[in-house]
Amino acid sequence: MSDTVHGPVNVEGFDLADPPAGFAGNPFPYYDALLREAPVLPQPDGSLLVCRHADLDRIYRDTALFSSDKKRVFGPKYGPGSPLFEHHTSSLVFSDPPLHTRVRKIMTSALTPRAIAKMEPGLIETVDHLLERMAGRTEVDLIGDFAASIPVQIIGNLLDVPMEERAPLRDWSLAILGALEPALSEAELAAGHRAVEEFKAYLRDLIARRRSNPGDIETDVLTRLINGEGAGGTLSEIELIQNCIFILNAGHETTTNLIGNGLALLHDHPEQRRLLLTQPELIKPAVEEMLRFRSPNQLGNRETTAEAEIGGVRVPAGTNLHLVIGAANRDPEVFEKPGDFDITRTPNRHLAFAGGPHVCVGLTLARLEGRIAIERLLRRFPDYRLLQGRRVQGGRIRFRGYAALPANLGG
């Protein structure tokens, strides 16, 4: 089944901060038009949309010319010194070396293949427990009852957050990540600031407890962060707190979206679901295609440190670049029939996890969570059915997923 929408789409004057009606619900016709007509598009605020796969790949790899530091952009957006400004300019994703290098070393040393392999039995147990709780119910929500619960538990385990203290984590994460949208209401901004402050207060207490009673250095990422394990130096208290927040945020909504989007895609493409049921060994390429076709994170950002040229366009130093991952993953120069959802697609050079030195540090864990969640739900409930007209889009531009997927499990 093709995802291409036929009919004229006008991208002249397209403004990401004030997109056309319906863009959040279905941006893909606009992505296709941008790739054809304006793959490098100036924005009214002086920033630039960049859509082609080759351009994104180059930008991700050149960290000297294209910086991840967002102090200049986030100052006006959040207010200098505000909770959101402090968080989003201190965490791994929006930092350059040397902070990025130090923190990334800690995380990669904690997320080795061996460490992730150790997580698999607990992940299977978590997924099977959720499936058992849903069994026999007339109606379930595949987001609230399933997809959103998995990463909260896995990341809670990574930081060794006590089970009884995990309830607020999802709401904090949604509010903080929601503040990364191109345009914000006053209520969304206030909710983001409040979530950062509440999360920081909780983490100060958790860190104090962990300092007095350290966890297993092999499996407890918080203990590794406190000790500076693998980084050749410790983090300041604020760096430590903000990167704990980052760990939750980076792995929560994106993984929830991967699982939810994947289940919706298999429902909407029954021939692909039948193929996966008859050939379960296709689950790994199926997850890669879900990541490409409905990337959980649709946008990235960089800033030019000097004058640059992108796709034939001269770009001044200090220009904010919107990297349109959702468009790059549909680039016909890279993907044959990019509007088709094909779980056998190979090769699949998608950019759902970005690339270069900033490639997602948790990509192996995210793939594992997506594979086990989708594989085991499909095995247990092969005939699950989304209830017609009931699914609720997340409504965000940067992070693409569902707020609710009401379903009947069919057995």
Side-chain angles (χ1 to χ4, degrees), residues 70-81:
K70 294 293 174 295
K71 293 183 180 68
R72 194 184 68 83
V73 174
F74 286 163
K77 185 178 178 106
Y78 302 130

Side-chain angles (χ1 to χ4, degrees), residues 22 37 44 59 146 156 186 190 200 212 228 261 283 304 325 355 365 367 394 399:
E37 302 166 26
I59 290 165
F146 187 64
E186 286 297 321
K200 280 169 57 181
S212 63
N261 291 348
I283 185 62
T304 54
I325 297 165
L365 180 56
R367 283 174 165 136
F399 297 100

Side-chain angles (χ1 to χ4, degrees), residues 188-262:
E188 289 166 333
L189 188 62
H193 287 316
R194 187 167 57 250
V196 172
E197 289 295 276
E198 291 175 1
F199 207 165
K200 280 169 57 181
Y202 171 73
L203 285 169
R204 284 194 185 97
D205 177 63
L206 184 67
I207 289 164
R209 283 184 273 160
R210 198 61 46 81
R211 287 190 194 278
S212 63
N213 186 22
D216 182 345
I217 200 71
E218 285 218 10
T219 58
D220 179 7
V221 174
L222 180 53
T223 296
R224 296 184 78 94
L225 285 166
I226 290 169
N227 293 348
E229 198 74 24
T234 57
L235 300 173
S236 69
E237 187 80 359
I238 195 60
E239 289 170 345
L240 176 58
I241 288 170
Q242 300 297 1
N243 281 289
C244 286
I245 296 176
F246 165 75
I247 289 170
L248 172 73
N249 291 347
H252 171 248
E253 186 167 7
T254 49
T255 306
T256 299
N257 289 351
L258 165 58
I259 297 167
N261 291 348

Side-chain angles (χ1 to χ4, degrees), residues 63-364:
T63 57
L65 184 55
F66 304 105
S67 170
S68 295
D69 188 287
K70 294 293 174 295
K71 293 183 180 68
R72 194 184 68 83
V73 174
F74 286 163
K77 185 178 178 106
Y78 302 130
S82 69
L84 283 167
F85 177 85
E86 181 187 71
H87 169 64
H88 285 307
T89 57
S90 301
S91 66
L92 184 69
V93 70
F94 294 128
S95 64
D96 290 327
L99 174 62
H100 178 267
T101 306
R102 285 192 296 131
V103 178
R104 190 177 179 91
K105 280 183 179 177
I106 298 172
M107 294 189 188
T108 53
S109 71
L111 294 172
T112 62
R114 180 182 169 199
I116 289 172
K118 280 185 170 183
M119 297 177 200
E120 186 164 346
L123 174 56
I124 291 172
E125 184 180 350
T126 295
V127 168
D128 286 351
H129 173 69
L130 293 169
L131 293 174
E132 186 60 35
R133 281 193 355 189
M134 292 192 296
R137 288 171 51 185
T138 306
E139 180 180 322
V140 300
D141 174 12
L142 293 178
I143 302 300
D145 293 324
F146 187 64
S149 299
I150 295 166
V152 165
Q153 298 308 327
I154 298 308
I155 297 161
N157 293 344
L158 271 179
L159 296 175
D160 200 15
V161 176
M163 193 69 67
E164 65 276 11
E165 297 175 8
R166 296 182 183 184
L169 296 181
R170 185 186 181 202
D171 287 343
W172 284 337
S173 175
L174 290 173
I176 294 167
L177 287 177
L180 289 172
E181 286 291 283
L184 288 177
S185 69
E186 286 297 321
E188 289 166 333
L189 188 62
H193 287 316
R194 187 167 57 250
V196 172
E197 289 295 276
E198 291 175 1
F199 207 165
K200 280 169 57 181
Y202 171 73
L203 285 169
R204 284 194 185 97
D205 177 63
L206 184 67
I207 289 164
R209 283 184 273 160
R210 198 61 46 81
R211 287 190 194 278
S212 63
N213 186 22
D216 182 345
I217 200 71
E218 285 218 10
T219 58
D220 179 7
V221 174
L222 180 53
T223 296
R224 296 184 78 94
L225 285 166
I226 290 169
N227 293 348
E229 198 74 24
T234 57
L235 300 173
S236 69
E237 187 80 359
I238 195 60
E239 289 170 345
L240 176 58
I241 288 170
Q242 300 297 1
N243 281 289
C244 286
I245 296 176
F246 165 75
I247 289 170
L248 172 73
N249 291 347
H252 171 248
E253 186 167 7
T254 49
T255 306
T256 299
N257 289 351
L258 165 58
I259 297 167
N261 291 348
L263 293 172
L265 284 167
L266 290 174
H267 174 273
D268 296 344
H269 298 80
E271 77 290 351
Q272 297 294 299
R273 174 164 32 177
R274 285 191 296 270
L275 181 60
L276 187 53
L277 284 167
T278 57
Q279 299 183 52
E281 67 275 10
L282 289 173
I283 185 62
K284 287 187 177 180
V287 168
E288 297 308 305
E289 181 68 346
M290 293 162 187
L291 286 162
R292 180 197 74 86
F293 196 77
R294 284 288 182 275
S295 300
N297 182 13
Q298 295 276 305
L299 290 171
N301 291 92
R302 293 292 187 273
E303 185 175 303
T304 54
T305 59
E307 183 176 302
E309 180 272 325
I310 303 173
V313 176
R314 187 186 70 81
V315 183
T319 299
N320 184 33
L321 308 176
H322 305 282
L323 308 183
V324 190
I325 297 165
N329 283 346
R330 299 170 66 86
D331 191 336
E333 293 296 315
V334 177
F335 304 100
E336 185 178 354
K337 296 182 180 178
D340 288 356
F341 177 64
D342 177 7
I343 67 169
T344 67
R345 185 182 297 276
T346 183
N348 194 339
R349 294 175 47 233
H350 66 77
L351 295 172
F353 292 119
H358 272 271
V359 68
C360 175
V361 71
L363 81 174
T364 304

